[in-house]
Amino acid sequence: VIEQELLLVVMADKSQDSVRNPHLKELLLDNMYHIGLNSSQPLVDMFAGVKFVCMGGSSSRMGEFAQFAAKFLGVTASENLCTTDRFAWYKAGPVLAFSHGMGGPSISIALHEVAKLLHYAKAHASIIRIGTSGGVGVAPGTIVIADKAYDGALQPEHTLLVLGEPIRRPAIFDADLVAAIHASAPEHLKSRVVVGGTMSCDDFYEGQARLDGALCDYDNDKKMAYLAKVAAAGVRNIEMEGVVLASFCRAAGIPAAMVCVTLLNRLEGDQVSGFHPDTTGPQNLVLHYIRGQINALAPSA
């Protein structure tokens, strides 16, 4: 089943609600089990003013990001407010810093419950994933702002089995948000920032054409031929969540973007060593964007 593009354009209207499920109205109480919240709580008060949901895989990294955001924006960061051990989330002024775990299934769960949280809290926010990745033809330390996400077959869509049937949703990030983040790059980061495609795989090893996993049924020539095809498609980095993020948020009408630093150039190797380039670049870039948005909305003196 392929969803009609016209329907998706209507659903992506930013003024609309972030849920597309009429059955939620039938629930007396909606338990958002994995994030430890439910619809009976005073979510409007708890999340008043949230305009930006910044997501990353690691719970500890998002805790550090919340502290960085608080200092950068001149606000106070909360402790981890998640009452389960599935995810972690922190509030720092207008920013909700949220860990999504690793891979498509994990971020899908997080996105469903964050979208419902925004709905019950009557909050209108964009979602920006901040993470790490493997570069494709770019140097380690490059900051890639994704404009679209491809699956491992280089299709710009996410395929999800629903009732046993494949549902294909386009995986395109919000063009206005992508452009605004790109334009926000401070001088010391501009030379490192590129806009391009990302490829999201279901696996870290074989799915990303690595030769260093426990299983491998292909040789280096086949690996390099595949990566050359990936590069020719305009892909600049490889990770594991972007295709779900882009497709889900487009269908839900939530503006979304993804900003990832590259740890290595996959055309030159597979191993992620103990030495990493500066990984704070995406956080810095996104916070410059957020501060610019806050300043633009502030009343003039």
Side-chain angles (χ1 to χ4, degrees):
V1 178
I2 301 177
E3 296 190 355
Q4 296 297 314
E5 184 69 17
L6 177 61
L7 175 61
L8 283 169
V9 169
V10 172
M11 292 173 71
D13 183 344
K14 296 172 191 156
S15 66
Q16 294 185 17
D17 200 356
S18 58
V19 300
R20 302 285 185 271
N21 182 0
H23 304 293
L24 293 180
K25 297 177 182 178
E26 302 170 8
L27 296 178
L28 296 178
L29 179 69
D30 188 0
N31 286 303
M32 292 165 278
Y33 165 71
H34 301 88
I35 63 175
L37 293 171
N38 67 67
S39 58
S40 73
Q41 294 172 277
L43 300 180
V44 173
D45 295 332
M46 291 170 65
F47 297 96
V50 169
K51 299 295 183 184
F52 311 94
V53 178
C54 295
M55 304 184 84
S58 164
S59 57
S60 62
R61 188 188 305 156
M62 294 317 291
E64 293 168 0
F65 172 74
Q67 294 297 325
F68 183 28
K71 183 177 180 180
F72 196 95
L73 301 174
V75 296
T76 301
S78 72
E79 298 179 350
N80 178 13
L81 298 174
C82 189
T83 59
T84 78
D85 60 359
R86 303 288 184 175
F87 300 108
W89 50 272
Y90 308 79
K91 188 174 182 295
V95 176
L96 188 64
F98 202 105
S99 72
H100 57 61
M102 190 180 297
S106 184
I107 195 173
S108 175
I109 294 169
L111 287 169
H112 273 278
E113 298 193 8
V114 166
K116 292 200 294 180
L117 167 61
L118 295 175
H119 164 73
Y120 293 125
K122 302 185 187 306
H124 298 279
S126 55
I127 296 180
I128 306 171
R129 171 169 134 69
I130 304 168
T132 57
S133 62
V136 181
V138 297
T142 300
I143 300 169
V144 180
I145 307 173
D147 56 0
K148 66 176 64 173
Y150 297 87
D151 63 15
L154 289 177
Q155 298 301 307
E157 61 190 20
H158 177 232
T159 302
L160 179 69
L161 290 178
V162 178
L163 303 180
E165 296 292 334
I167 299 295
R168 298 181 177 89
R169 292 173 177 154
I172 301 170
F173 288 101
D174 186 275
D176 293 339
L177 181 56
V178 168
I181 294 173
H182 190 205
S184 300
E187 284 298 325
H188 72 282
L189 290 180
K190 281 184 177 179
S191 63
R192 293 172 51 193
V193 179
V194 300
V195 176
T198 191
M199 182 172 73
S200 300
C201 299
D202 294 332
D203 167 62
F204 184 80
Y205 288 99
E206 293 174 286
Q208 297 187 29
R210 280 184 157 87
L211 299 176
D212 59 345
L215 302 175
C216 186
D217 297 320
Y218 47 87
D219 60 20
N220 187 64
D221 289 343
K222 289 183 179 178
K223 165 197 161 179
M224 295 307 298
Y226 174 68
L227 290 179
K229 183 179 178 182
V230 170
V235 170
R236 295 295 170 258
N237 65 337
I238 304 173
E239 45 77 73
M240 295 192 293
E241 294 86 19
V243 75
V244 175
L245 173 65
S247 62
F248 179 95
C249 289
R250 180 177 171 83
I254 302 172
M258 185 171 74
V259 184
C260 290
V261 67
T262 61
L263 300 181
L264 74 165
N265 181 357
R266 286 298 316 288
L267 301 183
E268 297 177 354
D270 296 337
Q271 288 270 301
V272 179
S273 68
F275 170 76
H276 290 169
D278 175 25
T279 57
T280 63
Q283 298 183 12
N284 206 316
L285 173 56
V286 169
L287 286 173
H288 271 84
Y289 160 74
I290 290 173
R291 187 165 65 185
Q293 292 296 300
I294 293 171
N295 290 342
L297 294 174
S300 57

